[in-house]
Amino acid sequence: MQVHVIDLSSWTASFRYPNLISGVQPTLEVPPVSTVLGLLNAAAGQYLHHQKLEIGYYFQFDAKAVDLESIYQIDSTNGRATNNAKSNIIRREFLFNTRLRIYLTDPKLADYFRQPYYSLVLGRMNDLATVEQITTLDLPEVAYASRLAGQVIPFRENYLAGQIQALPKYFTDTFPRQNVGTEPYSVISHLTFVKANLPAIHDKNLGKAGTDIYLHQLDFSEHDQAV
Amino acid sequence: MNLKTQGFVLLDVDVVALNNAGKSSTSNFENAVATKKILKNGRTYTYVSGQAWRYWWREALQKNVGWSLSPITRDNKIAFTEANPLLYADDDVFGYMKAVKEEVLDEKGKAKKVDATVTRVSPLKNSAIVSVGSARTVENWSSMARQDGDSVPYSKEEYSAIMKGMFSLDLAQLGTFASYNKTGFKNITQKLKMDALSQGAIEIDDPFVKDSKGNAQKLVQLNRNIRLQRAKDTIQALKTISGGAMQTNNMSDVTPKFIILVSTTSGNHPFSHIVTSEGMNLDRVALNLDGLKEVLKDYKEQIVGTVFIGKRSGFLNEYNDELRELLALGDAYPTIQLGTINETIDAYCTQLENQFS
């Protein structure tokens, strides 16, 4: 199967748990689909109205550490921010020396990374990222994935091991933004491999014995019409 | 043009504790402060969080460049800056969020309050500052012993390291504001928009966002000289940037000792891999000049003008000859100019004067 592969790297990255608001902020070990689609938008310079989209990705890091930082916790009423803010010192986990590999079947989307419009960040403002290379590969398809790692897989119907988190697929460009397609996902770190009854593509260059990459089949057509 | 300033710096610090992580959990002392560090493969990499570097940067702009910083309102539970990027350059460059209600007249001419919350994504994005190689930290035992009775021992964690940092300044975003809700990033209120236009700002088309009728939304843009000055000031501040914790006992110069400045037409930051570490403990720093050449060649089309590289004499002198070789790379590469740190910053700012539209 022909896929367009984008390799990105960053010194630091952090992906917050959507359901944790205060206290220690751990990081997810793999970015949610919405983060990767947000990165596509930053590269494109605009909000992309996807209808159907096929995308896979793999994320790895060298180390995890904890930062101490000041935050402003801002109150909201009916989804709108108020000026009620409390400053606080929190511990926030982050990942060090990270690599993100994105697999796209649509070459137009991959092309955005050749000259990204906005600065690319893996998580927050300080997590500046670099596009390492963009290649087109012909990767073999496997009917039953045996080496899934460094990615998120929808939990429903698959019931895979890994940390289970409710994660959004995308955000709307309305005000305020709404998350779209939130559902439970198994967050599978790059450190553990999982077998599944799932079709995937096999990338032999990831890890010692290769990694299977699940291609998310995203369908926003219903939602996009509603907007 | 969608221009960005991409910067890469190396700092060289000795016996510092630039950014601390609170109470140490590994010390035998009760009063022990740990420095921020990352453990990777059994080795320690010290770092300064991106937030701290921004704090130094903002302070330098105020103290050394003469910026009047946006006043912070801090009541019991309230903290926000003025969110007035027309008046305050730091609001423009560093971004903000403020929830406000604005009084407008409805169709019957009656005053009513409407929500006018504004947010601005920072055009200046910076990395954390991380030690290039592994840095062995030491616990420095200290004591407060000038009083009667027992002395009060305490300790702090110090290190020496060459550290790397990078930043990206979005020149197209600088001084340019959306007054409509662009995916939640409305930068200025209607009132500020009117103020800006009456003070000589212009309206330009947003290249991407259209209204319901398909017409381009309008961005408000300050005049060129103000935007250019803000960009130059931000970069010039690196010459005199200072900061870090424990300055009384561990004062260190945190201005760059090596710097690369370049304008690109892309948001990609290309210089993240041009330093590496070597040696058994990965504690020796190496400039990866082959990597730099590769980047310059690969991204030649996205680099606008000259690539400015500055180095302080005495710092990584073993690379002087190799750096000079960059000057004669040929047509496949952009032009390169070498200089001291301050010369390089000045030369880049001069180039910016011609590039800024």
Side-chain angles (χ1 to χ4, degrees), chain B residues 51-88:
Chain B
Q51 189 183 45
W53 194 18
R54 291 173 80 74
Y55 182 81
W56 305 352
W57 210 321
R58 216 187 260 256
E59 295 275 297
L61 281 161
Q62 181 186 37
K63 289 179 186 151
N64 310 325
V65 186
W67 278 20
S68 149
L69 297 188
S70 183
I72 296 166
T73 307
R74 175 81 164 87
D75 280 350
N76 183 25
K77 284 175 83 182
I78 309 174
F80 49 87
T81 65
E82 277 288 292
N84 184 341
L86 312 182
L87 205 54
Y88 300 108

Side-chain angles (χ1 to χ4, degrees), chain B residues 19 32 36 99 103 123-124 147 151 161 171 191 253 278 282 309 319 328:
Chain B
N19 198 193
K36 286 188 177 176
E103 205 166 87
L124 175 68
Q147 77 282 22
S151 61
L171 301 170
K191 183 180 174 301
D253 175 8
E278 291 177 341
L282 296 179
I309 302 178
Y319 291 96

Side-chain angles (χ1 to χ4, degrees), chain B residues 268-289:
Chain B
N268 185 29
H269 196 291
F271 300 119
S272 57
H273 284 52
I274 59 163
V275 281
T276 53
S277 53
E278 291 177 341
M280 197 169 71
N281 291 314
L282 296 179
D283 53 0
R284 210 168 61 236
V285 171
L287 280 185
N288 173 16
L289 289 177

Side-chain angles (χ1 to χ4, degrees), chain A residues 57-175:
Chain A
Y57 59 90
Y58 171 84
F59 181 80
Q60 71 172 83
F61 54 90
D62 284 355
K64 199 192 261 189
V66 182
D67 195 11
L68 190 69
E69 67 173 33
S70 306
I71 58 158
Y72 292 94
Q73 294 164 303
I74 296 168
D75 259 356
S76 68
T77 47
N78 304 325
R80 284 169 192 269
T82 69
N83 272 340
N84 283 335
K86 199 171 72 174
S87 78
N88 203 350
I89 307 274
I90 58 146
R91 292 185 180 275
R92 191 172 55 81
E93 269 188 348
F94 67 97
L95 305 167
F96 183 54
N97 277 359
T98 76
R99 267 92 61 211
L100 173 67
R101 177 169 258 214
I102 307 173
Y103 302 80
L104 291 161
T105 47
D106 183 349
K108 270 196 306 219
L109 294 176
D111 278 344
Y112 287 127
F113 287 93
R114 295 186 196 283
Q115 193 158 347
Y117 191 86
Y118 290 114
S119 298
L120 301 176
V121 289
L122 277 183
R124 297 152 49 104
M125 178 169 62
N126 300 130
D127 306 320
L128 276 173
T130 300
V131 179
E132 300 287 339
Q133 60 171 0
I134 301 167
T135 45
T136 300
L137 299 176
D138 210 1
L139 298 181
E141 294 174 60
V142 288
Y144 300 103
S146 60
R147 294 182 62 79
L148 287 168
Q151 52 200 303
V152 299
I153 309 280
F155 184 71
R156 281 191 203 123
E157 294 175 16
N158 301 317
Y159 308 108
L160 298 189
Q163 188 194 46
I164 300 158
Q165 278 290 329
L167 302 172
K169 290 190 181 68
Y170 206 24
F171 283 87
T172 62
D173 61 345
T174 55
F175 183 79

Side-chain angles (χ1 to χ4, degrees), chain B residues 248-267:
Chain B
T248 333
N249 292 325
N250 298 63
M251 194 177 85
S252 186
D253 175 8
V254 292
T255 60
K257 298 296 166 283
F258 177 84
I259 190 166
I260 299 183
L261 288 168
V262 60
S263 299
T264 67
T265 54
S266 152

